[in-house]
Amino acid sequence: MSDQFSAWQLILNGDPALFAIVRLSLAVSLSAVALAALIGMPLGALLGLARFPGRSVPVVLLNTLMGLPPVVVGLAVYLLLSRSGPLGGFGILFTPMVIAQTILIVPIIAAPTRQTVEDLWVEYRDELTAMNVTPAGRMTTLLWDARYSLVTALLAGFGRAAAEVGAVMIVGGNIDGFTRTMTTAVALETSKGNLPLAMGLGVILLAIVLAINAAAWGTRVWSERQAG
């Protein structure tokens, strides 16, 4: 009980160390979601509209990548950016946590985007074809029409990023003040026996995940009401 009380004290008193970790986690996760959206939405829309031989291969691959093991992604990014790796000359090892999280999130955003755009294309194909809308115009139109559904995909991607530990631990190194996120800090502080800080971070992480799910549910309900 004393540890739980101490954890709440850290949160309510605005402990600088705790909230520095929270701010870094949110900055990394939001940056990764933004990059993943810029990549995943056009990619998903392109696969949803394109028709070519062997199309099922990239579709299946994209769905498979939604279950990418985080530690494998972390290892791949580490090897790519280490001193002996092909991009080691840039000297950015232990800083590209955003890269690892983006790789993990892109399929989570792209796969539902593809399905949503493909369904909308079936519904609006005749109208868009009759209006001679260009392929780029079709993509933009359908993405805009699916914006509420895509918000749910973005929130799911953020939830995945915020809860990630394996890839971030490998790539970031869990350096205090630089690459220590909520998940890696919880793992470290628990192993050190600093349970109040670990529990405080855990409470905040759970609150963030709860808020994400509530926002996703609320967005879905609101969009369904808007659609009638």
Side-chain angles (χ1 to χ4, degrees):
M1 292 297 293
S2 59
D3 287 335
Q4 295 178 12
F5 180 73
S6 299
W8 282 107
Q9 275 189 317
L10 290 176
I11 297 173
L12 297 177
N13 293 335
D15 181 73
L18 183 146
F19 283 97
I21 295 171
V22 173
R23 283 193 297 271
L24 176 63
S25 298
L26 292 177
V28 170
S29 297
L30 289 172
S31 299
V33 170
L35 287 174
L38 290 175
I39 299 170
M41 286 186 178
L43 175 62
L46 182 63
L47 278 177
L49 292 173
R51 294 294 181 271
F52 53 88
R55 175 178 173 273
S56 59
V57 174
V59 171
V60 171
L61 180 61
L62 182 62
N63 291 333
T64 302
L65 291 177
M66 293 180 67
L68 266 177
V71 290
V72 174
V73 173
L75 177 61
V77 174
Y78 179 89
L79 294 175
L80 186 66
L81 299 174
S82 64
R83 291 183 180 274
S84 58
L87 300 181
F90 291 99
I92 58 174
L93 183 61
F94 298 127
T95 58
M97 297 185 295
V98 173
I99 297 176
Q101 289 196 358
T102 299
I103 294 172
L104 288 170
I105 300 171
V106 164
I108 295 175
I109 294 176
T113 298
R114 179 204 64 79
Q115 186 61 61
T116 301
V117 169
E118 187 172 335
D119 293 342
L120 288 175
W121 173 239
V122 172
E123 184 177 351
Y124 296 116
R125 179 185 341 180
D126 295 338
E127 291 87 343
L128 293 174
T129 302
M131 295 169 63
N132 292 320
V133 178
T134 64
R138 294 171 184 174
M139 184 183 300
T140 303
T141 300
L142 294 178
L143 283 175
W144 175 253
D145 193 69
R147 59 192 182 278
Y148 299 121
S149 298
L150 298 182
V151 168
T152 303
L154 292 176
L155 291 171
F158 178 77
R160 171 70 180 270
E164 176 49 41
V165 59
V168 172
M169 183 78 79
I170 293 174
V171 176
N174 201 18
I175 302 172
D176 187 20
F178 294 96
T179 61
R180 185 164 296 170
T181 63
M182 285 187 286
T183 51
T184 59
V186 168
L188 177 65
E189 299 303 329
T190 301
S191 67
K192 290 166 55 179
N194 187 3
L195 296 182
L197 180 55
M199 292 173 66
L201 290 168
V203 169
I204 293 176
L205 184 59
L206 284 174
I208 291 173
V209 173
L210 177 61
I212 291 168
N213 281 278
W217 180 82
T219 301
R220 180 176 179 179
V221 171
W222 186 80
S223 63
E224 289 175 350
R225 288 178 180 174
Q226 289 293 108

